[in-house]
């Protein structure tokens, strides 16, 4: 039987506020356990939550960016359940009346095609605390620093049909929330994670299969692995005559398996009811328009502009708009070099990105500034150095040896453009390789590359490649 996969994601984006959603406690990462939780976060009786206005603006900003409905009236609800790291016994969330309603986002798949994914809703809620197990043998510790951290839970429609599509959607959201500067997207610190709802059904069947929920996936790689494993497991269960049970499952990256955490709760298990300590949230048209005026150029708009303004391919434009910082760096290089956007694109997406990856750096920490890279590109454009030598210069710049002009002078890397000097070297190479010359003139055209290589080797890569090709053709004719 041929099976169809159905996937929907619930993404938890931690909103980039300095204090929590209902208290003044700090949200800074990495503090001593329980040092950033006050009486509101600890659920003491008699204390009252006060809504952080910044989270409202951020949620509206997200909703406007993905063409969602913005609720003029939304309501906070209590989601009741018991966990050791939830001292109140309930989580303040939104249920029937979320702040952001239906919308859509278009994702780019690996083959360059585009796909629409519907957004069901996005609601505000507080995070719970964290249970600690490793430091306490045979016991568990509780850290409530995360309790009350503001989250925007973005719920998609079940529109994705493969793990690759789910990853593309998650990457698209990751890029978007960082463009909007409402979430830092740090997945190692738990600022951006997702739950994946996965089911399978016979291809052509309209009714959905029974879904399971994969909880707390915090890397793109884990999302892909966990979904593929779960799809294989569900198909095995169904093809062996069993039934898939609706449940919440954990992905164990060490064992590369998914396993049962608990049976999946339904909404009525949580006994949602409006929080009596929080008034309904009312948003005016003026407030929405004020947020709209702060929207930046979004990734899709920037990608299209890079294509039309700089004549870049869709692939190059997509790579360069992965983050606002990379896009800004690229545009700064183009402006400072006054050169070809394509050359700048190749270097930013090529050597610079490779250097950042090797060093585990973000582009904001790059050892080579946009101005410095532009200086290097100028020397390629005016034929002072070849593209090959430029890579050597770039490595030296990365290692802190100075700017491009300093390194070119110190290392004597100026390109040889004197035709008579190049001709002399060509003559020497031809004289040293009579056998290859005879074969070339006998019809073995591929040996032309051999002669080019020998000339470049003799000049330590400094000869102008274009001149070498032109002069060699005349000499070998």
């Amino acid at each position: 039987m041929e099976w169809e996969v159905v996937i929907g994601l619930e993404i938890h984006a931690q909103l980039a506020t300095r204090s929590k959603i209902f208290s003044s406690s700090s949200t800074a990462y990495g503090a001593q356990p329980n040092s950033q939780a006050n009486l509101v976060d600890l659920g003491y009786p008699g204390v009252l939550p006060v809504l952080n206005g910044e989270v409202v603006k951020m949620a509206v900003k997200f909703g406007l960016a993905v063409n969602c409905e913005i609720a003029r009236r939304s309501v906070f609800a209590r989601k009741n359940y018991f966990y050791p790291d939830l001292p109140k016994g309930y989580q303040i969330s939104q249920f029937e009346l979320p702040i952001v309603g239906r919308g859509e986002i278009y994702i780019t798949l690996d083959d360059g095609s585009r796909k629409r994914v519907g957004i069901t809703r996005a609601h505000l809620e507080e995070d719970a605390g964290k249970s600690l197990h490793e430091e306490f043998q045979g016991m568990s510790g509780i850290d409530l620093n995360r309790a009350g951290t503001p989250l925007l839970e973005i719920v998609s429609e079940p529109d994705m049909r493969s793990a690759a599509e789910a990853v593309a959607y998650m990457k698209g959201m990751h890029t978007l929330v960082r463009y909007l500067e409402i979430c830092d997207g740090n997945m190692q610190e738990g600022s951006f994670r997702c739950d994946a709802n996965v089911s399978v059904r016979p291809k052509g069947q309209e009714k959905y299969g029974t879904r399971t929920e994969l909880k707390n996936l915090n890397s793109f790689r884990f999302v892909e692995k966990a979904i593929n494993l779960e799809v294989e497991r569900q198909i095995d269960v169904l093809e062996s005559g069993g039934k898939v049970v609706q449940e919440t499952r954990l992905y164990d990256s060490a064992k590369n398996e998914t396993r049962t955490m608990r049976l999946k709760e339904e909404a009525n298990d949580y006994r949602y009811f409006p929080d009596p300590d929080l008034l309904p949230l009312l948003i005016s048209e003026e407030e929405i328009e004020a947020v709209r005026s702060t929207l930046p150029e979004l990734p899709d708009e920037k990608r299209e502009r890079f294509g039309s303004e700089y004549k870049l391919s869709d692939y190059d434009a997509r790579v360069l708009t992965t983050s606002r910082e990379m896009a800004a760096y690229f545009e700064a290089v183009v402006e400072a070099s006054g050169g070809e956007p394509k050359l700048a694109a190749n270097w930013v997406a090529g050597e610079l990105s490779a250097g950042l990856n090797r060093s585990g750096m973000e582009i904001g920490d790059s050892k080579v500034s946009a101005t410095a890279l532009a200086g290097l590109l100028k020397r390629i454009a005016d034929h002072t150095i070849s593209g090959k030598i430029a890579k050597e210069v770039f490595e030296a710049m990365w290692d802190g040896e100075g700017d491009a002009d300093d390194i070119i002078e110190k290392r004597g890397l100026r390109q040889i453009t004197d035709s008579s000097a190049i001709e002399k070297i060509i003559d020497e190479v031809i004289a040293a390789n009579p056998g290859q010359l005879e074969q070339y003139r006998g019809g073995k055209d591929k040996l032309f590359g051999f002669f080019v290589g020998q000339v470049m080797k003799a000049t330590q890569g400094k000869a102008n490649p274009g001149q070498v090709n032109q002069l060699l053709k005349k000499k070998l004719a």
Side-chain angles (χ1 to χ4, degrees):
M1 179 180 292
E2 192 172 357
W3 298 94
E4 183 177 56
V5 180
V6 178
I7 303 166
L9 294 190
E10 298 172 12
I11 289 177
H12 291 81
Q14 178 179 327
L15 297 175
T17 57
R18 297 173 66 182
S19 59
K20 295 183 178 177
I21 186 170
F22 298 119
S23 83
S24 59
S25 298
S26 171
T27 57
Y29 179 80
Q32 286 293 317
N34 298 312
S35 63
Q36 296 184 167
N38 65 16
L39 298 183
V40 174
D41 308 315
L42 296 174
Y44 270 47
V47 296
L48 294 174
V50 177
L51 179 61
N52 183 337
E54 286 302 306
V55 305
V56 177
K57 294 176 184 173
M58 290 180 179
V60 172
K61 198 172 187 179
F62 170 80
L64 294 173
V66 288
N67 299 314
C68 281
E69 303 160 4
I70 307 298
R72 273 49 174 177
R73 180 179 183 275
S74 62
V75 172
F76 285 99
R78 290 186 179 182
K79 181 180 181 181
N80 299 277
Y81 60 98
F82 172 77
Y83 276 169
D85 51 20
L86 189 68
K88 293 198 295 280
Y90 62 86
Q91 179 185 22
I92 302 178
S93 181
Q94 294 188 310
F95 180 49
E96 290 180 319
L97 298 171
I99 187 169
V100 175
R102 288 185 178 278
E104 62 184 11
I105 187 172
Y106 284 82
I107 59 174
T108 303
L109 305 179
D110 288 342
D111 63 2
S113 63
R114 305 271 287 165
K115 174 169 180 166
R116 176 193 178 279
V117 177
I119 295 170
T120 310
R121 57 188 275 149
H123 59 261
L124 289 165
E125 66 180 24
E126 60 178 347
D127 206 351
K130 184 178 180 183
S131 297
L132 307 173
H133 306 293
E134 294 179 357
E135 298 92 335
F136 304 94
Q137 192 169 6
M139 298 183 292
S140 294
I142 301 295
D143 177 8
L144 294 174
N145 280 354
R146 284 198 69 85
T149 297
L151 301 178
L152 184 67
E153 181 171 332
I154 307 161
V155 182
S156 82
E157 293 287 296
D159 288 343
M160 290 155 275
R161 294 293 175 266
S162 69
E165 289 187 5
V167 171
Y169 169 80
M170 195 174 177
K171 285 182 176 178
M173 280 294 180
H174 189 251
T175 298
L176 179 63
V177 296
R178 287 184 300 144
Y179 260 74
L180 296 172
E181 295 180 331
I182 63 172
C183 173
D184 65 17
N186 192 318
M187 300 173 85
Q188 287 75 32
E189 295 178 2
S191 299
F192 190 86
R193 59 189 194 268
C194 85
D195 304 335
N197 290 296
V198 180
S199 65
V200 298
R201 62 184 175 187
K203 198 167 182 69
Q205 177 179 298
E206 192 170 333
K207 183 182 176 184
Y208 292 135
T210 302
R211 73 178 188 274
T212 59
E213 182 183 47
L214 300 169
K215 201 75 177 169
N216 280 333
L217 301 169
N218 65 349
S219 86
F220 301 126
R221 188 163 56 93
F222 287 172
V223 167
E224 184 162 22
K225 281 188 166 186
I227 290 175
N228 282 332
L229 281 170
E230 183 57 15
V231 168
E232 287 178 17
R233 188 192 70 83
Q234 290 189 19
I235 291 174
D236 286 344
V237 168
L238 294 170
E239 291 189 341
S240 60
K243 288 185 177 179
V244 174
V245 177
Q246 185 169 333
E247 61 184 356
T248 299
R249 297 180 69 85
L250 166 75
Y251 170 62
D252 185 332
S253 59
K255 295 181 179 177
N256 198 34
E257 65 177 21
T258 70
R259 60 174 180 268
T260 301
M261 286 177 68
R262 59 180 184 269
L263 292 180
K264 175 65 179 170
E265 299 90 342
E266 298 291 351
N268 55 13
D269 294 326
Y270 291 117
R271 294 174 290 115
Y272 282 97
F273 61 84
D275 192 307
D277 292 336
L278 288 161
L279 292 170
L281 174 60
L282 305 178
I283 305 174
S284 67
E285 290 296 329
E286 292 74 19
E287 289 169 322
I288 292 174
E289 291 310 310
V291 173
R292 193 190 303 278
S293 69
T294 67
L295 284 176
E297 184 180 37
L298 297 176
D300 283 352
E301 297 166 352
K302 199 180 285 289
R303 178 177 56 79
E304 288 182 14
R305 181 170 65 81
F306 278 18
S308 59
E309 184 175 335
Y310 299 120
K311 311 301 178 192
L312 298 179
S313 67
D314 186 63
Y315 174 81
D316 284 341
R318 276 196 286 126
V319 170
L320 293 170
T321 55
T322 304
S323 71
R324 280 178 77 171
E325 293 78 12
M326 177 171 281
Y329 186 101
F330 162 74
E331 294 204 276
V333 172
V334 173
E335 183 177 355
S337 67
E340 297 177 15
K342 177 58 180 169
L343 182 62
N346 289 345
W347 277 83
V348 174
E351 294 300 312
L352 181 81
S353 293
L356 294 171
N357 289 337
R358 281 195 302 272
S359 304
M361 290 178 170
E362 297 294 328
I363 197 162
D365 305 318
S366 173
K367 294 181 177 180
V368 177
S369 69
T371 305
L373 181 57
L376 175 63
L377 302 192
K378 284 180 180 176
R379 295 300 160 255
I380 299 173
D382 67 11
H383 305 296
T384 300
I385 55 174
S386 65
K388 184 177 180 182
I389 292 293
K391 292 182 180 179
E392 178 184 337
V393 177
F394 180 83
E395 290 298 324
M397 292 167 66
W398 190 270
D399 292 337
E401 292 185 26
D403 63 25
D405 288 340
D406 290 340
I407 294 164
I408 292 167
E409 292 306 319
K410 284 178 189 171
R411 296 192 178 192
L413 297 175
R414 281 185 176 276
Q415 192 165 232
I416 300 171
T417 55
D418 182 340
S419 295
S420 60
I422 295 174
E423 277 190 89
K424 183 182 175 187
I425 294 166
I426 289 174
D427 289 340
E428 291 170 358
V429 166
I430 290 174
N433 296 280
Q436 285 83 355
L437 177 64
E438 185 178 347
Q439 290 177 52
Y440 176 80
R441 286 179 170 161
K444 199 169 182 180
D445 295 341
K446 289 183 178 177
L447 281 172
F448 184 79
F450 165 78
F451 286 106
V452 172
Q454 292 299 307
V455 174
M456 297 305 291
K457 183 179 178 182
T459 60
Q460 298 179 311
K462 297 179 192 173
N464 182 300
Q467 286 179 280
V468 170
N469 276 271
Q470 185 183 19
L471 293 170
L472 254 177
K473 283 178 184 172
K474 289 181 182 174
K475 293 281 184 180
L476 295 175

